[in-house]
């Protein structure tokens, strides 16, 4: 299951916010800080199992009947296209009558293929909590800032210097649990 983003990703925390938190002036460390923000956002999304900022994706999944194949990105906002991939290497865009989409309460999206000849589906969809960084819940944003600041302050520390417990405490209420 490969998810390919189809648009540049806006970060939920600005470089200026992180620099203000660290009380840094100047631009000498901007590239390092921007990388740490991306890493902290990625760790946050992995922890809460949701994408923070809405973005488009293209994902190839198994062509399954109902209940369908689970999409990686969550919460799914919309599925715009499903393309059937056949065993002979051909493909065809499916009309809405040939595939089904279901969303659960946590925003997990499933795509069911109603074409029995299809082997896989290439699904184009949009997923994420907020349309811009102002829509991301403040505890998630603060956790990203604190984790990026921790990574910056401890960049020369041995590997056993783990992230601060406050980061997990800020993110834990937003974590989506999966059973089964």
């Amino acid at each position: 299951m490969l998810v390919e983003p189809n648009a540049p990703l806006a970060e939920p925390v600005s470089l200026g916010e992180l620099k203000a938190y660290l009380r840094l002036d100047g631009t000498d460390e901007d590239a390092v800080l921007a990388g740490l923000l991306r890493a902290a956002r990625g760790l946050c999304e992995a922890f809460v199992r949701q994408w923070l900022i809405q973005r488009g994706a293209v994902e190839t999944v198994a062509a399954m009947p109902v209940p369908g194949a689970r999409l990686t990105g969550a919460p799914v906002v919309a599925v715009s296209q499903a393309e059937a991939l056949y065993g002979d290497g051909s493909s065809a865009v499916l009309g809405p009558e040939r595939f089904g989409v279901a969303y659960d309460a946590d925003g997990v999206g499933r795509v069911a293929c109603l074409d029995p000849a299809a082997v896989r589906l290439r699904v184009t969809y949009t997923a994420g909590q907020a349309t811009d960084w102002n829509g991301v819940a403040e505890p998630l944003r603060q956790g990203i800032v604190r984790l990026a600041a921790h990574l910056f302050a401890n960049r020369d520390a041995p590997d056993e210097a783990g992230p601060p417990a406050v980061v997990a405490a800020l993110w834990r209420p937003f974590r989506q649990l999966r059973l089964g």
Side-chain angles (χ1 to χ4, degrees):
M1 233 184 299
L2 175 63
V3 178
E4 306 166 21
N6 58 19
L9 178 62
E11 293 301 327
V13 176
S14 72
L15 183 60
E17 276 182 276
L18 178 57
K19 288 173 74 171
Y21 184 83
L22 291 168
R23 297 184 182 113
L24 290 177
D25 292 324
T27 59
D28 294 347
E29 304 281 359
D30 283 5
V32 171
L33 294 172
L36 293 174
L37 278 174
R38 287 189 301 273
R41 188 246 324 135
L43 289 168
C44 178
E45 288 182 335
F47 186 87
V48 300
R49 296 184 179 110
Q50 290 192 9
W51 293 354
L52 301 180
I53 301 293
Q54 287 181 8
R55 57 192 184 264
V58 178
E59 182 173 357
T60 302
V61 297
M64 299 171 60
V66 174
R70 185 181 198 281
L71 297 173
T72 302
V76 174
V77 176
V79 172
S80 55
Q81 179 177 299
E83 181 181 4
L85 306 176
Y86 301 103
D88 64 1
S90 63
S91 65
V93 174
L94 299 177
E97 71 284 350
R98 300 201 36 212
F99 73 96
V101 181
Y103 308 96
D104 72 10
D106 293 328
V108 172
R110 292 187 174 276
V111 180
C113 182
L114 306 177
D115 182 346
V119 176
R120 302 191 62 73
L121 284 180
R122 183 177 299 123
V123 183
T124 304
Y125 66 99
T126 303
Q129 291 181 2
T131 57
D132 62 25
W133 60 268
N134 286 322
V136 175
E138 196 60 33
L140 296 172
R141 295 178 73 242
Q142 283 300 312
I144 291 169
V145 169
R146 286 175 175 250
L147 181 56
H150 171 80
L151 294 171
F152 180 77
N154 294 286
R155 62 185 172 203
D156 295 325
D159 289 339
E160 52 279 352
V166 70
V167 172
L170 287 165
W171 292 347
R172 193 170 292 115
F174 299 90
R175 188 170 195 177
Q176 297 294 317
L177 299 178
R178 294 184 191 144
L179 301 176

